[in-house]
Amino acid sequence: MALMITAACTACDACEPVCPNKAISVGSPIYVIDALTCTECVGADDEPQCKLVCPQDCIEQNPDFVESRDELMQKYEALHG
């Protein structure tokens, strides 16, 4: 699955710089995650870095983008290939 940022986001800017795929961007009024480029850090790290640094714990699974670990790895390789 890709991740998404909930309305609890305070736009603190902690998540955007740690995303290896540049999938996080400034939205209005909160940050957003592009599900087409989010790999939950599969291929880059052991766990989603944005979730580790988020002080509001407002990053969760996006139920509209269900993907297996293999699919996330393929997406990462296509982005960085």
Side-chain angles (χ1 to χ4, degrees), residues 18-57:
V18 299
C19 180
N21 301 323
K22 302 193 183 321
I24 301 173
S25 61
V26 177
S28 180
I30 63 173
Y31 278 76
V32 294
I33 298 177
D34 178 0
L36 300 179
T37 56
C38 176
T39 63
E40 295 184 41
C41 292
V42 169
D45 291 292
D46 292 335
E47 56 188 305
Q49 298 302 292
C50 59
K51 289 182 80 168
L52 290 176
V53 300
C54 180
Q56 293 298 317
D57 195 29

Side-chain angles (χ1 to χ4, degrees), residues 1-2 40 61-68 71-72:
M1 289 185 162
E40 295 184 41
Q61 300 292 318
N62 185 334
D64 295 331
F65 289 90
V66 178
E67 298 166 290
S68 70
E71 289 170 319
L72 292 169

